[in-house]
Amino acid sequence: MHPFRKPLATLAAALALAACGPQEPAPTQTPAATEDSRTPAQREAERTPYQLDQAFAKAGADFGVPAELLKAISYTETRWEMIQGQVEFEGVPAAFGLMALRGEKLSEGARLAGVAEEAVRTQPEANIRAAAALLSSYANELKLDRADVGAWAPAAAKYSGIDNAEAQAQYIHQNVYDVMRKGAVAQTPAGDLAVSLMPTQAQAKFPAPGVVRSMSADYAPAIWRPSPNYNSRPAGTDVSMIVIHTCEGSYSSCWSWLTNSASGVSAHYVVNESGSEISQLVLESNRGWHVGASYDCSLNGSVMCGLNGTSVNNFSVGIEHGGSASQTSFPAGQIDASAKLSCDITQGQGIVRDSYHIVAHGRLQPASRTDPGPNWPWSTYISKIQGYCGGGSTGSIIIDSNQANNDTSKGYVEVTGTSWVSSTNVAGYYGSGYYASPTAAVSEPVTFYFYLPAAATKTIDAWWTSATDRSTTAPFIITNSSGTRLATVNVNQQINGGRWNTLGTWSFPAGWNKVQLSRWTTAGYQVIADAVQVR
């Protein structure tokens, strides 16, 4: 882990936007022993933590920039993380460091501060100094009153790189100066990083947002900010996927760039860092320009292979998120707001709610993209979506042959005997593969359990892969939670592979009901246990 990043497991405690005022960094404990047997390196690591506050204060003093402004811009851009740049939009260089410096601004800041560009990319102090030097040059250019922190707002707006007047105003009033008014603090439990921003009464001298926006037609909580960068989906195309992106920058800069015709790119939605605001830029019925790759099902668990070679944009909805693929965690509010949005999209479009239909940009375009990065909380995110939608896929429960893909509070798989082999030999499987076993005069089933909190009538679907060695009479046994066998359905697994096939509809009591695929059928074939859907 980079020494200036907060541990993921402790982020909630480590970084708090202070609703009740700033928090004081916890003191570092010192050993009770009178004799210090530690090495110099150990003593350095365990001493009172080096305060990034000192770096902000020194850079501010050296270049005549308010330290609180530097901290607030850093918090707005990176949540005080040393990000390592990624490119999300062509024409927008990658951002680096605590201050999210990029492109020509990084080079100019390094020159003005008298530090190497590589140091600006990799060293916190150099990064802060380059940003301070750049802001100082803007203050000279704009002839600002350096003693008045509110007068620095135009310099902060220029630093943001945002051209759109509404987005500039949002960046200044709702982000930079808002965090100055509220205050914030961050530190690691080990005490090797601490930043504190004391609340101030700073009021930005900058035009306030004056645009009254209409709300989204597709998702009521979202603000409608239309992008010109879209076209119609191909006739007859079903929307079947959600693609998760990170902006590699702030929310305001993200939506303003995606609504600019010069960018040539767009997304359907952008979610801000706290989850308090969402913008819709393109109607879900239209084709946004958010993935620069054709679909390859081998990158996505061999799901939807019939779409191979077609543009991902044809059949997907894109959601951008303020932030970076290199950050160590994502704010809980942002994940929650995004999950609610994704639930709504899946309900409206009939998209399956799993990790093969709600996917990372980087999975689909691995040659040039990694977003949303390794720390996007996929398990939590998919579970939240399913929770907000009241179940699994499109209001259903899906039980995969791979237990790792299941929410075991709702459904799980159990394999009996030693003859079942996990396989990916035949394309078109659901999830991460399937189980195959030769037919024999024994049951030894794979059992798909599903839980119903109350009695309900449900339709059962099964998914398998097809080949000429498959059984034409594969027996699916439907049993309720009372142990009553409701039906045995024999299916031909030589056909209809790579899709959901309906077994039937039955009334089930509350509790753990089950669908079993037995091996007891005509000898000389294979039976395939892949996935079951309860809807």
Side-chain angles (χ1 to χ4, degrees):
M1 178 179 294
H2 191 285
F4 284 88
R5 287 193 183 155
K6 296 169 286 297
L8 178 63
T10 59
L11 182 67
L15 177 58
L17 190 60
C20 300
Q23 302 173 21
E24 291 297 327
T28 303
Q29 292 184 352
T30 56
T34 57
E35 183 177 350
D36 191 344
S37 60
R38 297 170 300 166
T39 67
Q42 288 172 328
R43 287 196 298 272
E44 176 65 18
E46 295 172 17
R47 70 184 176 86
T48 300
Y50 172 75
Q51 300 284 320
L52 273 181
D53 279 345
Q54 297 174 14
F56 282 113
K58 187 173 191 319
D62 288 350
F63 294 100
V65 181
E68 60 265 42
L69 179 73
L70 290 171
K71 293 178 189 178
I73 290 174
S74 178
Y75 185 89
T76 296
E77 293 283 355
T78 70
R79 294 306 194 262
W80 293 330
E81 289 206 35
M82 274 295 292
I83 63 170
Q84 301 301 307
Q86 310 283 330
V87 172
E88 173 64 356
F89 310 124
E90 298 303 328
V92 179
F96 290 90
L98 289 152
M99 303 300 297
L101 284 163
R102 63 179 85 225
E104 293 180 0
K105 290 182 177 179
L106 186 150
S107 299
E108 180 65 5
R111 184 190 69 80
L112 291 169
V115 295
E117 290 188 25
E118 182 60 20
V120 174
R121 293 188 184 93
T122 59
Q123 297 176 16
E125 294 90 341
N127 190 266
I128 295 168
R129 292 185 69 79
L134 194 64
L135 283 162
S136 181
S137 72
Y138 295 161
N140 290 337
E141 178 186 331
L142 296 166
K143 296 180 172 56
L144 303 180
D145 177 1
R146 289 174 179 263
D148 181 357
V149 69
W152 282 84
K158 184 170 183 177
Y159 183 95
S160 74
I162 299 171
D163 293 327
N164 179 291
E166 181 192 354
Q168 274 190 351
Q170 182 181 64
Y171 179 88
I172 292 299
H173 292 282
Q174 297 178 27
N175 292 279
V176 175
Y177 280 78
D178 185 60
V179 74
M180 276 197 276
R181 286 189 295 272
K182 292 178 178 176
V185 64
Q187 71 177 91
T188 64
D192 57 1
L193 164 63
V195 187
S196 60
L197 178 57
M198 300 294 288
T200 72
Q201 299 301 312
Q203 298 295 324
K205 294 181 179 179
F206 198 82
V211 179
V212 178
R213 284 285 176 182
S214 59
M215 304 311 287
S216 158
D218 289 329
Y219 185 59
I223 297 171
W224 175 238
R225 292 184 165 110
S227 171
N229 306 322
Y230 72 92
N231 61 331
S232 299
R233 297 188 189 274
T237 299
D238 291 328
V239 178
S240 53
M241 180 176 285
I242 296 173
V243 182
I244 303 300
H245 305 253
T246 49
C247 294
E248 299 305 309
S250 70
Y251 168 73
S252 301
S253 64
C254 189
W255 70 253
S256 66
W257 179 244
L258 296 178
T259 56
N260 185 339
S261 60
S263 73
V265 289
S266 62
H268 293 84
Y269 296 95
V270 187
V271 181
N272 79 350
E273 292 83 353
S274 67
S276 62
E277 184 174 300
I278 297 173
S279 292
Q280 182 175 17
L281 316 182
V282 177
L283 291 175
E284 293 174 23
S285 58
N286 287 324
R287 180 179 181 271
W289 303 343
H290 58 104
V291 177
S294 297
Y295 185 65
D296 178 355
C297 73
S298 70
L299 301 173
N300 192 36
S302 297
V303 170
M304 303 191 299
C305 293
L307 293 170
N308 275 358
T310 63
S311 170
V312 174
N313 293 330
N314 289 357
F315 55 85
S316 65
V317 170
I319 306 177
E320 289 280 359
H321 298 80
S324 168
S326 68
Q327 66 192 60
T328 57
S329 64
F330 291 83
Q334 184 179 49
I335 295 300
D336 198 60
S338 181
K340 290 176 182 176
L341 170 60
S342 284
C343 168
D344 187 82
I345 295 168
T346 62
Q347 287 177 324
Q349 302 295 339
I351 298 173
V352 177
R353 298 182 196 110
D354 65 15
S355 59
Y356 300 94
H357 297 83
I358 304 171
V359 302
H361 184 196
R363 177 190 289 182
L364 304 177
Q365 195 176 339
S368 58
R369 298 292 186 271
T370 63
D371 58 315
N375 295 317
W376 182 265
W378 281 108
S379 178
T380 297
Y381 186 64
I382 298 295
S383 294
K384 278 181 173 287
I385 294 168
Q386 293 174 341
Y388 284 125
C389 285
S393 168
T394 56
S396 65
I397 302 170
I398 293 180
I399 311 100
D400 190 17
S401 55
N402 184 343
Q403 195 79 286
N405 296 333
N406 296 326
D407 179 349
T408 55
S409 67
K410 298 181 175 69
Y412 65 94
V413 66
E414 184 177 85
V415 181
T416 306
T418 59
S419 296
W420 292 96
V421 176
S422 180
S423 177
T424 57
N425 287 339
V426 177
Y429 49 82
Y430 187 91
S432 307
Y434 56 89
Y435 282 110
S437 183
T439 53
V442 292
S443 179
E444 292 189 343
V446 169
T447 304
F448 299 88
Y449 288 93
F450 61 94
Y451 182 77
L452 298 179
T457 299
K458 295 290 184 181
T459 296
I460 307 296
D461 305 316
W463 188 297
W464 56 79
T465 60
S466 292
T468 56
D469 66 345
R470 306 311 199 218
S471 172
T472 59
T473 55
F476 283 89
I477 303 165
I478 317 300
T479 305
N480 69 19
S481 60
S482 301
T484 302
R485 180 178 294 194
L486 303 180
T488 298
V489 181
N490 296 97
V491 302
N492 182 357
Q493 292 191 326
Q494 294 185 8
I495 60 174
N496 298 327
R499 73 180 203 189
W500 290 116
N501 297 276
T502 299
L503 302 181
T505 302
W506 296 273
S507 294
F508 294 94
W512 286 99
N513 301 277
K514 62 187 179 183
V515 178
Q516 296 176 297
L517 177 60
S518 173
R519 298 174 58 207
W520 201 321
T521 188
T522 306
Y525 295 94
Q526 296 276 320
V527 286
I528 305 300
D530 194 343
V532 165
Q533 177 174 238
V534 183
R535 58 183 173 86

